[in-house]
Amino acid sequence: MINTIIFDFGDVFINLRKEHSIEEFKKLGLDGPNEDLLAHNDLFEKGKITELQFINSFLKHIPNASIEQITKAWNSVIGDFPLHRLEFLQLLSSRYRLFLLTNTDSIHINRFEHKVGMSFYSDFYRCFEKVYYSYEMGMRKPDAEIFNTIIRKHDLSTKRTLFVDDKKNNTDIAESLGLHVWNLQVGKEDVVDLFEQKHLPL
């Protein structure tokens, strides 16, 4: 029986507005992501470069944009966090060991915390035994080591652990390591449907 759940964050709990962010960057003259920016994003999410180094990577492609404009466009991806998901998570936290594992960066986390406020994000973090941000760990999904690190550190049984993520390459790796997985389909499923989808006992 499942006794532990590892959750992703973006598009599982907080809604992401990816198309909106792309549109905001287009207004600044950037015609979508490119290999250079994706590589810098990878480094930033692993904590290998600073916030300023990351923002400066955009200036090579949109030199007329300001740091403030770039930061605002980058943060425009952060959408709302429906209260019913927090309430559901609070229900779960009394019945399961919960962990958060997300590929993210310091700019987005600061924006999230500012947007929802201390009371909300404190209630959210309190639901988890441990919150894991990729930029603090120095690695990111779908690297197998990021999963193995959490499994080892918390002595988790893969047979009794469920991993929930909206990206199939992440759930595929987790499944190959022996975890149960739910590849949540954004727009079609909601994390609050967990018991319906995975038939977990309340």
Side-chain angles (χ1 to χ4, degrees):
M1 185 181 293
I2 300 295
N3 64 4
T4 304
I5 309 174
I6 304 173
F7 287 105
D8 179 35
F9 185 27
D11 273 337
V12 172
F13 291 110
I14 193 166
N15 293 320
L16 299 182
R17 306 183 301 170
K18 297 171 185 175
E19 292 303 318
H20 182 71
S21 182
I22 290 172
E23 286 303 314
E24 289 301 303
F25 274 112
K26 280 184 178 178
K27 293 176 184 177
L28 299 178
L30 183 67
D31 190 24
N34 56 52
E35 288 187 11
D36 176 56
L37 291 174
L38 291 173
H40 278 86
N41 179 60
D42 185 274
L43 290 171
F44 193 36
E45 286 190 344
K46 290 180 179 178
K48 304 297 186 185
I49 58 175
T50 66
E51 292 185 10
L52 188 57
Q53 286 173 317
F54 177 67
I55 295 298
N56 282 340
S57 71
F58 283 93
L59 290 172
K60 290 186 292 183
H61 305 282
I62 42 176
N64 294 324
S66 68
I67 290 175
E68 291 76 16
Q69 287 174 319
I70 292 170
T71 303
K72 185 177 179 181
W74 181 245
N75 276 333
S76 66
V77 72
I78 304 296
D80 65 313
F81 189 140
L83 180 60
H84 72 274
R85 292 180 185 161
L86 175 60
E87 292 171 340
F88 176 71
L89 190 64
Q90 290 171 324
L91 171 69
L92 283 183
S93 66
S94 63
R95 294 165 170 80
Y96 296 90
R97 297 180 69 185
L98 302 183
F99 298 89
L100 190 73
L101 174 61
T102 178
N103 290 347
T104 191
D105 60 73
S106 53
I107 296 177
H108 278 163
I109 292 304
N110 288 337
R111 173 57 184 155
F112 154 67
E113 292 182 352
H114 178 76
K115 184 169 185 175
V116 300
M118 182 181 293
S119 177
F120 191 99
Y121 75 69
S122 296
D123 286 345
F124 175 60
Y125 292 152
R126 200 175 293 121
C127 294
F128 300 101
E129 190 170 320
K130 177 73 174 175
V131 171
Y132 285 101
Y133 293 142
S134 61
Y135 74 94
E136 294 178 336
M137 297 182 74
M139 59 186 97
R140 68 195 292 275
K141 299 174 289 185
D143 299 340
E145 186 55 29
I146 201 168
F147 295 102
N148 287 328
T149 296
I150 296 174
I151 291 166
R152 286 194 306 266
K153 187 170 182 178
H154 299 280
D155 194 25
L156 304 183
S157 166
T158 55
K159 293 180 180 179
R160 302 187 70 184
T161 301
L162 172 68
F163 174 61
V164 180
D165 198 294
D166 64 301
K167 293 184 173 59
K168 191 173 185 302
N169 55 342
N170 294 339
T171 55
D172 283 350
I173 291 295
E175 192 170 33
S176 75
L177 297 173
L179 282 78
H180 298 271
V181 300
W182 177 20
N183 177 214
L184 187 150
Q185 304 300 302
V186 180
K188 297 180 181 178
E189 300 171 326
D190 194 298
V191 70
V192 300
D193 301 327
L194 179 66
F195 296 103
E196 178 184 323
Q197 294 291 330
K198 307 306 297 184
H199 308 292
L200 294 180
L202 263 171

